[in-house]
Amino acid sequence: MFRYDLVAVDVDGTLIDDAFRVPPKTRAILREIHASGLVVVLATGRNPSGTVPLLSEIGISGPLIVHNGAFVFDPATGREFLTLSLGRSRLPDLFRFAREHGLHYDVNTTYHLYVDASIAPEMAALYEAYYAKPLVVADWSEVTEPVVKVTMIGSEAHVDRIFPEAVRAFPEYRVLRSGETYIDVVHPEANKGAGLKAVAAAYGIPLSRTMAIGNYYNDLEMFAVADFAVAMANSPDEVKRRADAVTASNNEEGVYLAILRYVLGDDPAGRETI
């Protein structure tokens, strides 16, 4: 019998390695537990087009927590569990903020990704690595779907400087770092923990039967909700401190090792550290 019935796994820096690949042992063990009836949930800041292909690559199906918890759905059935939109009143201010600070920005609806200008080659390569397919619009009035996330992208040093100002400028939103070079703006109640709660409730799984694996600050709410939280070795120290255990890095099959020990193996005794 598995220790947990649901495992939520972050994508970038966790599921995939630094070459944007799902390592072979990780892919195999996720297929194994999925085939045995355990619910595997990918939980990410990515949009659906950047996440759904990973299900096919791994060979599983099931619900996805995308846009840092602003949208939760099952791509196979079309069932939607949670949608938290930003509204439109302050979108022009967000766009102006990004332009004034020299940040590339894109706009995410539940299923699509939009930009309002031609994409520089380096950004095109980044989108391709994430399976993302931006649609170019001449005017934001063309986008009629609910907007669930705005992402601003820059160098790590630049984002370090700009992030506190973005938090102060938009107190009505949740402004977070989803990676060293990303600032995400979402609904104030949107987070991976809320997404995990929505999936667990939909499947009738108690939170005491859930485990989460992640590597960054945007995984902390998911860590707080899950019964057991595992941080990757490549996580910041604060993320490791907030986890119940630390596994190997994303380049060393850390997800595989965590599932092997904490889902298929004995219940861990006490807090694990590296």
Side-chain angles (χ1 to χ4, degrees), residues 20 119-132 134 182:
F20 296 94
I119 302 171
E122 62 272 18
M123 288 304 304
L126 181 67
Y127 283 128
E128 183 177 357
Y130 284 92
Y131 298 108
Y182 299 93

Side-chain angles (χ1 to χ4, degrees), residues 45 79 96 155 157 167 177 214 227 236 241 267:
R79 186 179 179 190
R96 184 165 49 251
S155 69
V167 172
R177 295 283 292 271
D227 180 73
R241 285 193 291 269
D267 190 25

Side-chain angles (χ1 to χ4, degrees), residues 4-5 14 20 40 59 62 67 90 103 107 124 126 131 147 162 172 198 202 212 239 243 247 255 265 267 271:
Y4 298 104
D5 297 322
T14 301
F20 296 94
V40 177
H67 301 308
R90 292 214 65 192
L103 297 168
V107 173
L126 181 67
Y131 298 108
V147 172
I162 299 304
E172 67 271 56
V239 175
T247 186
V255 171
D267 190 25
R271 177 175 291 270

Side-chain angles (χ1 to χ4, degrees), residues 10-14 18 20 68 103 126 130 151-164 176-184 214-219 232-237 239-240 250:
D10 169 55
V11 173
D12 296 291
T14 301
D18 290 349
F20 296 94
N68 277 311
L103 297 168
L126 181 67
Y130 284 92
T151 296
M152 296 179 274
I153 306 170
S155 69
E156 182 176 356
H158 190 43
V159 169
D160 283 344
R161 290 192 299 272
I162 299 304
F163 178 67
L176 69 150
R177 295 283 292 271
S178 61
E180 289 85 354
T181 59
Y182 299 93
I183 299 173
D184 282 354
N215 81 300
Y216 208 64
Y217 300 107
N218 60 329
D219 295 313
M232 307 296 287
N234 50 291
S235 304
D237 288 342
V239 175
K240 293 177 184 177
N250 63 318

Side-chain angles (χ1 to χ4, degrees), residues 133-199:
K133 300 176 181 178
L135 302 171
V136 180
V137 295
D139 190 291
W140 288 115
S141 63
E142 299 175 29
V143 179
T144 58
E145 309 153 74
V147 172
V148 295
K149 185 183 71 172
V150 173
T151 296
M152 296 179 274
I153 306 170
S155 69
E156 182 176 356
H158 190 43
V159 169
D160 283 344
R161 290 192 299 272
I162 299 304
F163 178 67
E165 185 175 347
V167 172
R168 290 191 298 270
F170 301 100
E172 67 271 56
Y173 295 139
R174 181 173 183 234
V175 182
L176 69 150
R177 295 283 292 271
S178 61
E180 289 85 354
T181 59
Y182 299 93
I183 299 173
D184 282 354
V185 182
V186 295
H187 186 281
E189 296 176 10
N191 61 70
K192 294 183 185 181
L196 177 54
K197 286 182 179 179
V199 173

